[in-house]
Short mmCIF file of all heavy atoms in Angstrom, two decimals:
data_model
loop_
_atom_site.label_atom_id
_atom_site.label_comp_id
_atom_site.label_asym_id
_atom_site.label_seq_id
_atom_site.Cartn_x
_atom_site.Cartn_y
_atom_site.Cartn_z
N GLY N 10 18.95 25.10 2.70
CA GLY N 10 18.58 26.51 2.56
C GLY N 10 19.00 27.33 3.75
O GLY N 10 19.21 26.82 4.85
N ALA N 11 19.11 28.63 3.54
CA ALA N 11 19.41 29.57 4.61
C ALA N 11 18.89 30.94 4.18
O ALA N 11 18.53 31.16 3.02
CB ALA N 11 20.91 29.62 4.91
N VAL N 12 18.85 31.87 5.15
CA VAL N 12 18.45 33.24 4.87
C VAL N 12 19.62 34.15 5.23
O VAL N 12 20.12 34.14 6.36
CB VAL N 12 17.20 33.65 5.68
CG1 VAL N 12 16.88 35.12 5.43
CG2 VAL N 12 16.02 32.78 5.29
N GLU N 13 20.07 34.92 4.26
CA GLU N 13 21.09 35.94 4.49
C GLU N 13 20.37 37.25 4.77
O GLU N 13 19.49 37.65 4.01
CB GLU N 13 21.99 36.06 3.26
CG GLU N 13 23.20 36.95 3.46
CD GLU N 13 24.07 37.01 2.20
OE1 GLU N 13 23.61 36.59 1.12
OE2 GLU N 13 25.21 37.49 2.32
N TRP N 14 20.72 37.94 5.86
CA TRP N 14 19.93 39.09 6.28
C TRP N 14 20.80 40.16 6.94
O TRP N 14 21.96 39.93 7.27
CB TRP N 14 18.83 38.66 7.24
CG TRP N 14 19.34 38.07 8.54
CD1 TRP N 14 19.74 36.78 8.75
CD2 TRP N 14 19.53 38.75 9.77
NE1 TRP N 14 20.17 36.61 10.05
CE2 TRP N 14 20.04 37.81 10.70
CE3 TRP N 14 19.32 40.06 10.20
CZ2 TRP N 14 20.33 38.15 12.02
CZ3 TRP N 14 19.61 40.41 11.52
CH2 TRP N 14 20.10 39.45 12.41
N GLY N 15 20.21 41.33 7.12
CA GLY N 15 20.91 42.41 7.78
C GLY N 15 20.05 43.66 7.85
O GLY N 15 18.97 43.72 7.24
N SER N 16 20.53 44.67 8.55
CA SER N 16 19.77 45.91 8.70
C SER N 16 19.92 46.83 7.49
O SER N 16 19.24 47.85 7.40
CB SER N 16 20.21 46.65 9.97
OG SER N 16 21.60 46.91 9.93
N THR N 17 20.79 46.50 6.57
CA THR N 17 20.95 47.24 5.31
C THR N 17 20.97 46.23 4.16
O THR N 17 21.16 45.03 4.38
CB THR N 17 22.26 48.04 5.30
OG1 THR N 17 23.37 47.13 5.14
CG2 THR N 17 22.43 48.86 6.57
N PRO N 18 20.82 46.68 2.93
CA PRO N 18 20.90 45.76 1.79
C PRO N 18 22.24 45.06 1.65
O PRO N 18 22.34 44.10 0.88
CB PRO N 18 20.61 46.67 0.58
CG PRO N 18 19.79 47.79 1.14
CD PRO N 18 20.35 48.03 2.51
N ALA N 19 23.25 45.52 2.36
CA ALA N 19 24.53 44.81 2.35
C ALA N 19 24.45 43.49 3.10
O ALA N 19 25.37 42.66 3.01
CB ALA N 19 25.62 45.69 2.96
N LEU N 20 23.38 43.29 3.88
CA LEU N 20 23.13 42.06 4.63
C LEU N 20 24.24 41.82 5.66
O LEU N 20 24.41 42.63 6.54
CB LEU N 20 22.94 40.89 3.67
CG LEU N 20 21.88 41.12 2.57
CD1 LEU N 20 21.81 39.92 1.63
CD2 LEU N 20 20.54 41.45 3.16
N GLY N 21 24.95 40.70 5.60
CA GLY N 21 26.05 40.49 6.53
C GLY N 21 25.83 39.40 7.55
O GLY N 21 26.79 38.92 8.16
N GLU N 22 24.56 39.00 7.78
CA GLU N 22 24.27 37.91 8.70
C GLU N 22 23.65 36.76 7.93
O GLU N 22 23.09 36.95 6.84
CB GLU N 22 23.30 38.37 9.80
CG GLU N 22 23.77 39.57 10.60
CD GLU N 22 24.81 39.19 11.62
OE1 GLU N 22 24.98 37.98 11.89
OE2 GLU N 22 25.46 40.10 12.17
N SER N 23 23.71 35.57 8.49
CA SER N 23 23.10 34.40 7.83
C SER N 23 22.62 33.42 8.88
O SER N 23 23.28 33.22 9.91
CB SER N 23 24.11 33.72 6.90
OG SER N 23 23.50 32.63 6.23
N THR N 24 21.48 32.82 8.62
CA THR N 24 20.99 31.75 9.49
C THR N 24 21.76 30.47 9.20
O THR N 24 22.41 30.34 8.16
CB THR N 24 19.49 31.51 9.28
OG1 THR N 24 19.28 31.07 7.92
CG2 THR N 24 18.69 32.79 9.51
N ALA N 25 21.67 29.52 10.11
CA ALA N 25 22.31 28.22 9.89
C ALA N 25 21.59 27.49 8.75
O ALA N 25 20.38 27.62 8.59
CB ALA N 25 22.26 27.39 11.16
N PRO N 26 22.31 26.72 7.94
CA PRO N 26 21.66 25.98 6.85
C PRO N 26 20.67 24.96 7.39
O PRO N 26 20.87 24.35 8.44
CB PRO N 26 22.83 25.29 6.14
CG PRO N 26 24.04 26.04 6.56
CD PRO N 26 23.77 26.54 7.94
N THR N 27 19.58 24.78 6.66
CA THR N 27 18.61 23.74 6.98
C THR N 27 19.12 22.39 6.49
O THR N 27 20.10 22.31 5.74
CB THR N 27 17.27 24.02 6.32
OG1 THR N 27 17.41 23.89 4.88
CG2 THR N 27 16.77 25.42 6.63
N ALA N 28 18.43 21.35 6.88
CA ALA N 28 18.66 20.05 6.26
C ALA N 28 18.22 20.13 4.79
O ALA N 28 17.43 21.00 4.41
CB ALA N 28 17.88 18.97 6.99
N VAL N 29 18.74 19.24 3.96
CA VAL N 29 18.36 19.21 2.55
C VAL N 29 16.88 18.87 2.45
O VAL N 29 16.42 17.84 2.96
CB VAL N 29 19.21 18.20 1.77
CG1 VAL N 29 18.71 18.06 0.34
CG2 VAL N 29 20.67 18.62 1.79
N ALA N 30 16.10 19.75 1.83
CA ALA N 30 14.66 19.58 1.72
C ALA N 30 14.14 20.47 0.60
O ALA N 30 14.85 21.35 0.11
CB ALA N 30 13.97 19.92 3.03
N SER N 31 12.89 20.24 0.21
CA SER N 31 12.24 21.11 -0.77
C SER N 31 11.53 22.28 -0.11
O SER N 31 11.50 23.38 -0.64
CB SER N 31 11.24 20.31 -1.61
OG SER N 31 11.91 19.33 -2.38
N LEU N 32 10.91 22.03 1.06
CA LEU N 32 10.20 23.07 1.79
C LEU N 32 11.06 23.56 2.95
O LEU N 32 11.57 22.77 3.74
CB LEU N 32 8.87 22.52 2.33
CG LEU N 32 8.08 23.45 3.25
CD1 LEU N 32 7.65 24.71 2.52
CD2 LEU N 32 6.87 22.73 3.82
N HIS N 33 11.21 24.88 3.04
CA HIS N 33 12.04 25.49 4.08
C HIS N 33 11.21 26.47 4.89
O HIS N 33 10.45 27.27 4.33
CB HIS N 33 13.22 26.22 3.45
CG HIS N 33 14.04 25.39 2.52
ND1 HIS N 33 15.08 24.58 2.95
CD2 HIS N 33 13.95 25.20 1.18
CE1 HIS N 33 15.60 23.95 1.91
NE2 HIS N 33 14.94 24.31 0.83
N GLU N 34 11.37 26.43 6.20
CA GLU N 34 10.82 27.43 7.11
C GLU N 34 11.96 27.83 8.05
O GLU N 34 12.39 27.04 8.88
CB GLU N 34 9.63 26.90 7.90
CG GLU N 34 8.40 26.66 7.06
CD GLU N 34 7.21 26.21 7.90
OE1 GLU N 34 7.32 26.20 9.15
OE2 GLU N 34 6.17 25.86 7.31
N VAL N 35 12.45 29.05 7.90
CA VAL N 35 13.63 29.49 8.63
C VAL N 35 13.27 30.70 9.48
O VAL N 35 12.73 31.70 8.96
CB VAL N 35 14.77 29.84 7.66
CG1 VAL N 35 15.94 30.46 8.41
CG2 VAL N 35 15.23 28.59 6.91
N GLU N 36 13.59 30.63 10.76
CA GLU N 36 13.34 31.75 11.66
C GLU N 36 14.60 32.61 11.78
O GLU N 36 15.70 32.10 12.01
CB GLU N 36 12.93 31.25 13.04
CG GLU N 36 12.60 32.39 14.02
CD GLU N 36 12.18 31.89 15.39
OE1 GLU N 36 10.98 31.58 15.56
OE2 GLU N 36 13.07 31.80 16.27
N ILE N 37 14.42 33.91 11.64
CA ILE N 37 15.48 34.88 11.87
C ILE N 37 15.27 35.46 13.26
O ILE N 37 14.20 36.00 13.55
CB ILE N 37 15.46 36.02 10.83
CG1 ILE N 37 15.45 35.46 9.40
CG2 ILE N 37 16.63 36.96 11.02
CD1 ILE N 37 15.19 36.51 8.34
N GLY N 38 16.24 35.34 14.13
CA GLY N 38 16.11 35.82 15.50
C GLY N 38 17.06 36.96 15.81
O GLY N 38 17.87 37.38 14.97
N GLY N 39 16.95 37.49 17.02
CA GLY N 39 17.84 38.55 17.45
C GLY N 39 17.56 39.89 16.81
O GLY N 39 18.47 40.73 16.71
N LEU N 40 16.32 40.13 16.39
CA LEU N 40 15.96 41.38 15.74
C LEU N 40 15.49 42.41 16.76
O LEU N 40 15.22 42.09 17.92
CB LEU N 40 14.86 41.12 14.70
CG LEU N 40 15.12 39.99 13.70
CD1 LEU N 40 13.94 39.83 12.76
CD2 LEU N 40 16.40 40.24 12.93
N LEU N 41 15.36 43.65 16.33
CA LEU N 41 14.86 44.73 17.17
C LEU N 41 13.45 45.12 16.75
O LEU N 41 13.11 45.02 15.56
CB LEU N 41 15.78 45.95 17.07
CG LEU N 41 17.21 45.76 17.57
CD1 LEU N 41 18.04 47.02 17.29
CD2 LEU N 41 17.23 45.42 19.06
N PRO N 42 12.61 45.56 17.67
CA PRO N 42 11.23 45.93 17.33
C PRO N 42 11.16 47.12 16.38
O PRO N 42 12.00 48.03 16.43
CB PRO N 42 10.59 46.28 18.68
CG PRO N 42 11.49 45.67 19.70
CD PRO N 42 12.87 45.68 19.12
N ASN N 43 10.15 47.08 15.51
CA ASN N 43 9.83 48.21 14.63
C ASN N 43 11.03 48.68 13.82
O ASN N 43 11.29 49.87 13.67
CB ASN N 43 9.26 49.38 15.45
CG ASN N 43 8.60 50.42 14.57
OD1 ASN N 43 8.07 50.12 13.51
ND2 ASN N 43 8.62 51.66 15.01
N GLN N 44 11.79 47.71 13.29
CA GLN N 44 12.96 48.02 12.47
C GLN N 44 12.84 47.33 11.11
O GLN N 44 12.28 46.25 11.00
CB GLN N 44 14.24 47.54 13.17
CG GLN N 44 14.53 48.24 14.48
CD GLN N 44 14.83 49.71 14.31
OE1 GLN N 44 15.57 50.10 13.41
NE2 GLN N 44 14.26 50.54 15.17
N VAL N 45 13.39 47.96 10.10
CA VAL N 45 13.42 47.38 8.75
C VAL N 45 14.64 46.48 8.62
O VAL N 45 15.75 46.88 9.00
CB VAL N 45 13.44 48.47 7.67
CG1 VAL N 45 13.65 47.85 6.29
CG2 VAL N 45 12.13 49.27 7.70
N TYR N 46 14.43 45.29 8.09
CA TYR N 46 15.52 44.36 7.80
C TYR N 46 15.43 43.92 6.34
O TYR N 46 14.34 43.90 5.75
CB TYR N 46 15.46 43.14 8.73
CG TYR N 46 15.82 43.47 10.15
CD1 TYR N 46 14.84 43.81 11.07
CD2 TYR N 46 17.15 43.47 10.57
CE1 TYR N 46 15.17 44.15 12.38
CE2 TYR N 46 17.49 43.80 11.88
CZ TYR N 46 16.49 44.13 12.77
OH TYR N 46 16.82 44.47 14.07
N HIS N 47 16.57 43.55 5.79
CA HIS N 47 16.67 43.11 4.41
C HIS N 47 17.14 41.66 4.40
O HIS N 47 17.89 41.24 5.29
CB HIS N 47 17.65 43.99 3.64
CG HIS N 47 17.31 45.46 3.70
ND1 HIS N 47 16.62 46.10 2.71
CD2 HIS N 47 17.56 46.39 4.66
CE1 HIS N 47 16.46 47.37 3.04
NE2 HIS N 47 17.02 47.56 4.22
N TYR N 48 16.71 40.91 3.38
CA TYR N 48 17.10 39.49 3.33
C TYR N 48 17.01 38.96 1.91
O TYR N 48 16.35 39.54 1.04
CB TYR N 48 16.20 38.66 4.26
CG TYR N 48 14.82 38.39 3.71
CD1 TYR N 48 14.52 37.20 3.03
CD2 TYR N 48 13.78 39.31 3.87
CE1 TYR N 48 13.25 36.95 2.52
CE2 TYR N 48 12.51 39.07 3.37
CZ TYR N 48 12.25 37.88 2.70
OH TYR N 48 10.99 37.64 2.19
N ARG N 49 17.67 37.82 1.72
CA ARG N 49 17.50 37.04 0.49
C ARG N 49 17.70 35.57 0.83
O ARG N 49 18.28 35.22 1.86
CB ARG N 49 18.47 37.48 -0.60
CG ARG N 49 19.94 37.21 -0.31
CD ARG N 49 20.81 37.71 -1.45
NE ARG N 49 22.23 37.65 -1.12
CZ ARG N 49 23.19 38.19 -1.88
NH1 ARG N 49 22.86 38.79 -3.02
NH2 ARG N 49 24.45 38.10 -1.51
#
């Protein structure tokens, strides 16, 4: 699993893939305070 994210709905960034698993917990880093981000 991974999270595709960005500051607009166009996204553009992605986290590194996790190991193959059923349960995923993925941290998105490098964000700015009090800002809206979009992801899928």
Side-chain angles (χ1 to χ4, degrees):
V12 176
E13 188 179 14
W14 63 277
S16 58
T17 73
L20 307 178
E22 303 283 346
S23 182
T24 63
T27 67
V29 174
S31 295
L32 174 63
H33 306 274
E34 291 183 6
V35 173
E36 182 180 275
I37 308 170
L40 309 179
L41 297 175
N43 194 30
Q44 297 294 316
V45 172
Y46 289 92
H47 305 263
Y48 76 95
R49 66 181 171 189

